[in-house]
Amino acid sequence: MAATVTSTATTGKTWDGGNEPMGASYGKMMMWFFIVSDALTFSGFLAAYGFSRFKFIETWPIADEVFNHFPFMHGVDAPMYYVAFMTFILIFSSVTMVLAVDAGHHLKKTKVAVYMLLTIVGGFIFLGSQAWEWKNFIKGEFGAVETKGGAILQFVKAGENGKYERVALAEFAAHLPTERVNKLRSNGIIFEEGAALPTYSVEEVKAGLLAHPEVLIRTEKIVKKHKEVLTREQSVKKIEEATIVVEGANLVRNEYGHKLFANFFFFITGFHGFHVFSGVMINVLIFFNVLLGTYEKRRSYEMVEKVGLYWHFVDLVWVFVFTFFYLV
């Protein structure tokens, strides 16, 4: 009696030929899955930022006043100029990546290498610019004081054009003969260690404010798109609530205003910066493979296209971060 054997095997690869979903290879599909999942992560972060921003909308820092520095232009008010420059560099690097992918489709090794190199340079410029922004944000420029309730008080004076201008603590703080000790284990304080002491004490700031009648206090509250400035009498009374001097920003407090602003800044821009750094490192690896002729031998530059998808995603995310965090 002859036995009938049924075979269920199929020929060819699962992701080959007509079996490719939407005409995409396995590698491209996996990259798209990653991009979608990462987009949801960034969406959650930006949504959390939006909820917090509008919950504390009356005391949220004004971005134009925070990000107003430009390299080699100390003292010049350039609101958002450098952030706009960073954004332009990143978008331009996305253009060079498109050109690299197009050159790969035509199997033009030299052009792929040149455009990949320009993309890498653009990524490094963006990362360096972001590090510079972080340095200025952490260091601060003017300083402020924090009250018992956690509110930030800044200092201003009337400028030549009638508008109020920020005043740095160094311009008016007094120098009192007091001795302050950092809480460090090296100083013999074994069981307690605190943050570094600010340049001035609360008493020195209070004395300086009283000695300079032109200096006024500006609160966190926004009135008609500007921070509320107290009268001289109100400023003298309000300074008595100060408990600590704040210089720059960290995860605990910041001189620019609400604490959550600094927390979101470090977390969102840092998380995006990590993505950019990862993309640059991958681009460097692909760039060297292009120079070695790896993809030329395969007669396919699909790997350049896959890393290009990731790079475009990183650029697109920054557009949303730039819009929600810096512009809105």
Side-chain angles (χ1 to χ4, degrees):
M1 182 177 180
T4 302
V5 179
T6 303
S7 175
T8 59
T10 58
T11 59
K13 298 180 180 178
T14 305
W15 291 80
D16 191 24
N19 290 329
E20 291 186 353
M22 295 179 288
S25 65
Y26 178 82
K28 286 184 183 179
M29 284 298 294
M30 294 303 103
M31 179 58 74
W32 276 113
F33 286 154
F34 169 76
I35 287 175
V36 171
S37 63
D38 216 25
L40 294 174
T41 303
F42 274 106
S43 299
F45 294 158
L46 291 175
Y49 170 80
F51 282 124
S52 300
R53 162 75 183 274
F54 287 102
K55 181 179 181 180
F56 304 103
I57 192 170
E58 293 184 352
T59 59
W60 204 255
I62 301 174
D64 284 351
E65 297 182 355
V66 179
F67 308 104
N68 60 347
H69 302 86
F70 205 92
F72 311 112
M73 294 175 61
H74 182 70
V76 177
D77 187 29
M80 310 301 292
Y81 289 3
Y82 197 64
V83 180
F85 168 76
M86 293 166 52
T87 304
F88 170 78
I89 291 295
L90 200 60
I91 292 176
F92 183 76
S93 71
S94 197
V95 174
T96 56
M97 177 59 79
V98 169
L99 296 174
V101 172
D102 182 68
H105 288 161
H106 295 87
L107 300 178
K108 296 181 180 179
K109 173 184 173 182
T110 303
K111 285 190 175 182
V112 173
V114 170
Y115 290 130
M116 285 291 294
L117 180 61
L118 290 176
T119 303
I120 292 169
V121 171
F124 275 122
I125 292 176
F126 179 84
L127 289 173
S129 300
Q130 196 168 53
W132 186 84
E133 279 283 348
W134 272 47
K135 178 187 74 67
N136 285 287
F137 188 77
I138 294 172
K139 182 181 179 182
E141 182 178 3
F142 297 100
V145 294
E146 185 177 305
T147 66
K148 298 176 183 178
I152 293 294
L153 303 179
Q154 301 170 340
F155 302 94
V156 298
K157 65 178 180 180
E160 297 179 357
N161 55 2
K163 295 182 179 180
Y164 289 105
E165 301 175 351
R166 290 285 304 276
V167 180
L169 299 180
E171 296 182 34
F172 70 91
H175 295 276
L176 303 178
T178 57
E179 183 178 352
R180 297 185 296 160
V181 179
N182 272 322
K183 294 182 178 181
L184 302 174
R185 291 184 176 88
S186 59
N187 293 336
I189 305 177
I190 301 175
F191 301 105
E192 184 177 10
E193 184 166 353
L197 291 175
T199 307
Y200 304 97
S201 65
V202 174
E203 290 71 21
E204 289 175 326
V205 175
K206 289 180 180 179
L209 178 68
L210 296 176
H212 292 77
E214 74 280 5
V215 178
L216 304 174
I217 284 180
R218 188 175 74 165
T219 68
E220 292 179 303
K221 187 177 180 180
I222 297 178
V223 179
K224 296 181 180 180
K225 298 182 179 181
H226 297 283
K227 296 290 186 178
E228 177 189 32
V229 177
L230 303 180
T231 64
R232 178 62 184 175
E233 292 74 16
Q234 292 173 327
S235 299
V236 172
K237 182 179 180 181
K238 193 70 174 178
I239 194 63
E240 295 301 323
E241 301 178 16
T243 57
I244 187 171
V245 175
V246 182
E247 294 176 313
N250 51 51
L251 295 176
V252 179
R253 56 179 58 89
N254 76 90
E255 69 170 57
Y256 310 102
H258 203 282
K259 300 175 182 179
L260 285 178
F261 179 82
N263 294 343
F264 277 113
F265 175 80
F266 288 126
F267 192 78
I268 293 178
T269 62
F271 192 60
H272 177 266
F274 172 75
H275 279 70
V276 175
F277 177 76
S278 301
V280 170
M281 292 298 102
I282 296 172
N283 281 338
V284 169
L285 179 62
I286 301 302
F287 171 71
F288 281 113
N289 282 337
V290 170
L291 294 181
L292 293 174
T294 303
Y295 310 122
E296 191 73 16
K297 296 174 184 177
R298 298 177 185 175
R299 307 299 293 173
S300 173
Y301 283 83
E302 184 181 309
M303 188 61 71
V304 176
E305 188 172 355
K306 285 187 286 189
V307 74
L309 289 173
Y310 176 78
W311 192 254
H312 296 322
F313 166 72
V314 169
D315 290 0
L316 180 62
V317 168
W318 177 253
V319 171
F320 282 97
V321 173
F322 176 71
T323 302
F324 282 84
F325 203 96
Y326 294 90
L327 296 183
V328 177

